[in-house]
Amino acid sequence: MTARDNSTAPTSPTDLTRRSLLAAAAGLPALGLAGGAWAQGSDKPEKEEVRIGFIPLTDCASVVMASVLGFDKKYGVKIIPTKEASWAGVRDKLVNGELDMAHVLYGLIYGVHLGVAGPKKDMAVLMTLNRNGQAITLSKKLADAGAVDGASLAKVMAKDKRDYSFAQTFPTGTHAMWLYYWLAAHGVNPMKDAKVITVPPPQMVANMRVGNMDGFCVGEPWGHRAIIDGIGITATTTQDIWPEHPEKVLGTTGDFVKKYPNTARAVIMAVLEASRWIDAGLINKNKMAETIADKAYVNTGVDAINQRILGRYQNGLGKTWDDPRHMKFFDDGAVNFPYLSDGMWFLTQHKRWGLLKDHPDYLGTAKAINQTKLYAEAAGALKISVPKDPMRSSKLLDGVVWDGKDPAKYADSFKVKG
């Protein structure tokens, strides 16, 4: 437990009022610059109220906590978190300006920018909100038939020929890409061997309960919720598919960044502070879980959230383990830089699965979307380190290395494709 863990824990979730949270935050060591760092002179935010959409998922936490803990006020903005029902709704409200920003799927932003996920509009990624922490769930019925992981699922599907249905949350989004990559790595073509449907995250568990799908990929707490409710098992975590993978981002339109650059920078700083606060220790993580479990945010039991954010996993079949690569929001700043190679990876998968007919300008698109300069300004002001190279190298579960150096070759290299 770190030195930042010595704030007093509330006696119950209902005690976790805005006032007690602010007091807890005030008890922490200084988390950055003094108040009003960017809130005066030529750096004053052009827009003071910022509506940020979110979907009820654990990884909306840094946006919510930036507002609840008052980190936004420090930088001259007021974050108004707005709860949305689906990723398609988030997309539409970002495009038409009802939302200023959103806790959003990486691949949704890229899909809209290229016109393959709805209306085409220039988009921007301000920062990465979290890494890891999603899961693929298989129904209890499939598990009883012997499908408990990728290899055994492929065997069951080959033996018992029928229509198999799997759900993801948005066609170009992260969950679709994790699901497709995992199935394909085990020889199952998601485009030919199964039916893939789109279901909003909070509706996944209810749909599995009534038998609408054999499996789904979604963010927490809905994977763990399926286990608590006894209707599904965790077949794999997404950090086992791509260790330290990027997940949600803080997204907006290109027009917003051009019109309100100081506002965008101020929000990045507030969310960075909240990210650092969450990852500072056990007590803060538990306070976060109690806060976002509320009806206004994720609307679930605290017990569905607070285990996996600490890396305490169970698969629903008696196996338990501690995962060092659980969901992280800050990790000394390693989480939040919007690597160009991360965005480019989603484009390679969009091409792989036929969402893009031709190879795009991979690097040019990533440079247009990912606001690395603006992020570096915000991080620098908070003395958070920024990587020298906007590309990074990763090895995925099939042993294939992604480093962004030859994206077209990488996209074309997969045997299983759409």
Side-chain angles (χ1 to χ4, degrees):
M1 201 174 284
T2 70
R4 290 177 186 155
D5 282 335
N6 49 15
S7 49
T8 304
T11 54
S12 75
T14 54
D15 290 334
L16 199 68
T17 61
R18 181 183 176 87
R19 187 177 299 165
S20 66
L21 272 166
L22 284 165
L28 299 173
L31 290 179
L33 299 183
W38 292 91
Q40 50 199 311
S42 62
D43 291 319
K44 180 179 170 63
E46 307 88 350
K47 186 177 171 69
E48 292 183 3
E49 283 196 354
V50 184
R51 292 177 61 83
I52 305 184
F54 71 91
I55 291 286
L57 290 162
T58 301
D59 49 32
C60 75
S62 56
V63 168
V64 170
M65 299 310 289
S67 170
V68 171
L69 291 169
F71 289 127
D72 50 353
K73 292 194 183 82
K74 200 168 164 182
Y75 301 105
V77 291
K78 181 182 180 183
I79 291 172
I80 303 172
T82 71
K83 187 174 181 176
E84 304 298 331
S86 70
W87 290 121
V90 169
R91 173 201 60 200
D92 294 345
K93 290 182 180 183
L94 274 177
V95 168
N96 70 24
E98 285 182 63
L99 292 173
D100 298 310
M101 300 178 183
H103 147 260
V104 68
L105 298 163
Y106 220 131
L108 184 152
I109 294 293
Y110 272 68
V112 171
H113 190 89
L114 291 173
V116 295
K120 188 177 190 299
K121 190 174 181 71
D122 286 352
M123 301 298 285
V125 166
L126 300 176
M127 63 184 287
T128 307
L129 293 176
N130 66 297
R131 280 186 183 171
N132 306 328
Q134 322 295 293
I136 293 176
T137 299
L138 296 178
S139 69
K140 214 59 190 290
K141 182 182 175 183
L142 261 185
D144 290 343
V148 296
D149 56 20
S152 54
L153 172 65
K155 286 180 182 175
V156 168
M157 289 179 70
K159 185 179 177 183
D160 181 12
K161 299 286 188 183
R162 63 173 177 82
D163 289 335
Y164 288 84
S165 185
F166 297 95
Q168 40 76 16
T169 64
F170 190 80
T172 62
T174 49
H175 303 115
M177 298 308 114
W178 309 141
L179 177 66
Y180 298 170
Y181 201 99
W182 179 73
L183 287 170
H186 295 286
V188 177
N189 189 320
M191 303 299 162
K192 297 171 184 173
D193 302 332
K195 179 185 176 187
V196 177
I197 59 175
T198 301
V199 175
Q203 296 176 25
M204 286 292 190
V205 173
N207 273 274
M208 181 170 274
R209 185 179 286 113
V210 297
N212 285 349
M213 82 261 293
D214 294 289
F216 62 73
C217 183
V218 73
E220 294 301 338
W222 306 118
H224 190 55
R225 182 83 251 171
I227 290 173
I228 292 173
D229 292 357
I231 62 164
I233 62 107
T234 294
T236 192
T237 64
T238 52
Q239 53 266 34
D240 281 339
I241 297 170
W242 177 355
E244 311 297 9
H245 69 78
E247 189 44 50
K248 304 303 184 301
V249 294
L250 184 62
T252 185
T253 62
D255 289 342
F256 188 94
V257 174
K258 287 174 187 169
K259 193 172 180 182
Y260 308 114
N262 295 344
T263 306
R265 187 195 301 111
V267 173
I268 294 170
M269 293 174 77
V271 175
L272 274 173
E273 290 234 37
S275 303
R276 178 157 53 184
W277 182 88
I278 292 167
D279 274 11
L282 179 65
I283 287 177
N284 290 4
K285 284 189 173 75
N286 282 330
K287 284 180 180 174
M288 175 271 276
E290 289 168 347
T291 303
I292 68 167
D294 188 79
K295 196 174 184 179
Y297 303 117
V298 179
N299 191 22
T300 191
V302 178
D303 58 338
I305 298 172
N306 64 8
Q307 293 302 299
R308 290 193 171 184
I309 59 166
L310 301 174
R312 297 170 186 161
Y313 277 79
Q314 55 175 299
N315 71 346
L317 294 167
K319 179 186 174 185
T320 61
W321 70 99
D322 288 329
D323 192 338
R325 291 194 177 105
H326 57 82
M327 187 183 293
K328 304 235 174 69
F329 292 87
F330 185 67
D331 197 19
D332 294 326
V335 169
N336 309 108
F337 182 75
Y339 285 95
L340 299 181
S341 55
D342 287 358
M344 289 164 66
W345 184 85
F346 290 101
L347 294 178
T348 68
Q349 300 306 297
H350 295 165
K351 175 63 174 71
R352 175 187 183 182
W353 299 115
L355 296 163
L356 289 170
K357 291 179 181 176
D358 302 306
H359 288 292
D361 176 358
Y362 291 96
L363 183 57
T365 302
K367 283 181 175 178
I369 296 174
N370 289 25
Q371 304 296 306
T372 53
K373 183 174 181 289
L374 198 61
Y375 174 84
E377 289 173 3
L382 291 170
K383 296 181 170 55
I384 294 167
S385 63
V386 174
K388 292 176 183 175
D389 192 342
M391 312 287 268
R392 67 183 179 120
S393 179
S394 308
K395 184 186 283 189
L396 278 70
L397 84 160
D398 52 8
V400 179
V401 173
W402 164 247
D403 57 17
K405 287 177 182 171
D406 195 341
K409 183 181 178 183
Y410 177 85
D412 288 341
S413 69
F414 296 99
K415 291 178 182 176
V416 180
K417 59 184 75 172

